[in-house]
Amino acid sequence: MLKKERFQAFIDHFSENMPVAETELAYANPFQLLVAVVLSAQCTDKRVNIVTQDLFRDFPTPEHLASSHFDELFPYIKSISYPNNKTKHLLGLGKMLVEDFNSEVPSTVEELIKLPGVGRKTANVITSVVWNQPNMAVDTHVFRVSRRLGLVTQTAKTPLEVEKQLIRHIPEQYVHKAHHWLILHGRYTCLARTPKCEQCKITHFCRYFEKNLAKTPKTS
């Protein structure tokens, strides 16, 4: 199967079977999404959603974060992975949003990555989810699934290399959805250690399946 055909099969399948694909993080506005994504690094969305219920109630705006301090904020996120660093990031993020961005979440990757705790992946998530910009955030699920399916080459060893290859081949109007397609497929079907290939509906264009499971040894 040619790469163009593989990408088309990917888009056709998920367009039909997952036409609505959205983040599983709970949020009501760009600020809340930004905070949730920062907290979600190496942590489950489920845990983040539990924590942000109280966090968003008591810190609903950048101003609330900016005027807080470590000992006040830390108890809200202490059950999140790396709570010390993330507490510091959120305090700095709130302050910078207030002082440099008029309390508005910036809409470009270049501006977003200036914020504490915000790297390229987080910036791509925000611009893709909030503004439907054709940016591809590559987390562990996207990295793993895109390589297994054969959407990117096995020589793509970094998130940025995977991002560039996906962007090159996915039509612009599908990029923001494709990000969620890959994440959700990796989260529920194409698991890291034990992929559920027997339940998967896209094995017909999956390189991993073709290489590891499609051919069974002949018995004499």
Side-chain angles (χ1 to χ4, degrees):
M1 178 180 285
L2 298 175
K3 185 175 288 291
K4 182 178 180 181
E5 296 172 330
R6 194 179 302 275
F7 271 95
Q8 191 60 55
F10 167 74
I11 291 169
D12 289 346
H13 172 82
F14 284 101
S15 293
E16 179 178 351
N17 295 281
M18 198 184 294
V20 178
E22 301 173 334
T23 179
E24 294 186 313
L25 290 170
Y27 71 99
N29 54 57
F31 168 69
Q32 288 187 358
L33 179 63
L34 177 59
V35 170
V37 176
V38 169
L39 291 177
S40 71
Q42 296 182 282
C43 188
T44 66
D45 288 359
K46 182 178 180 180
R47 167 54 52 183
V48 172
N49 288 340
I50 293 172
V51 167
T52 53
Q53 291 181 39
D54 291 338
L55 181 66
F56 292 158
R57 180 195 66 210
D58 295 340
F59 298 86
T61 68
E63 286 83 0
H64 286 83
L65 282 182
S67 62
S68 184
H69 54 80
F70 186 93
D71 291 338
E72 181 183 15
L73 183 60
F74 179 82
Y76 287 85
I77 64 173
K78 64 182 180 181
S79 65
I80 295 282
S81 58
Y82 306 104
N84 288 327
N85 284 339
K86 290 179 181 178
T87 298
K88 295 174 184 177
H89 287 156
L90 291 187
L91 292 171
L93 180 150
K95 185 176 181 180
M96 185 172 286
L97 285 176
V98 171
E99 294 180 353
D100 296 352
F101 296 102
N102 196 32
S103 297
E104 297 290 335
V105 175
S107 60
T108 68
V109 170
E110 292 72 24
E111 289 179 312
L112 281 163
I113 60 176
K114 296 176 183 178
L115 297 168
V118 178
R120 183 176 182 86
K121 183 187 75 173
T122 296
N124 280 341
V125 170
I126 302 303
T127 54
S128 172
V129 172
V130 177
W131 293 285
N132 290 339
Q133 293 180 19
N135 296 327
M136 175 62 67
V138 178
D139 68 354
T140 56
H141 297 304
V142 174
F143 188 87
R144 177 180 70 255
V145 173
S146 60
R147 283 163 53 91
R148 281 181 176 172
L149 290 178
L151 298 178
V152 302
T153 63
Q154 294 302 302
T155 57
K157 301 295 186 182
T158 68
L160 183 58
E161 290 173 342
V162 168
E163 175 189 333
K164 288 181 177 179
Q165 290 191 28
L166 290 173
I167 290 293
R168 189 180 308 136
H169 293 96
I170 297 176
E172 188 173 295
Q173 69 268 30
Y174 293 110
V175 172
H176 69 284
K177 281 189 177 183
H179 161 70
H180 297 299
W181 290 339
L182 290 165
I183 286 178
L184 295 172
H185 189 66
R187 184 171 291 165
Y188 296 111
T189 302
C190 194
L191 308 183
R193 294 186 179 181
T194 54
K196 300 178 181 179
C197 296
E198 70 283 356
Q199 300 176 16
C200 184
K201 304 300 183 183
I202 57 175
T203 54
H204 59 289
F205 65 86
C206 176
R207 280 270 176 85
Y208 176 89
F209 183 83
E210 179 184 356
K211 180 179 179 181
N212 296 283
L213 299 168
K215 298 178 181 178
T216 55
K218 294 182 179 181
T219 57
S220 56

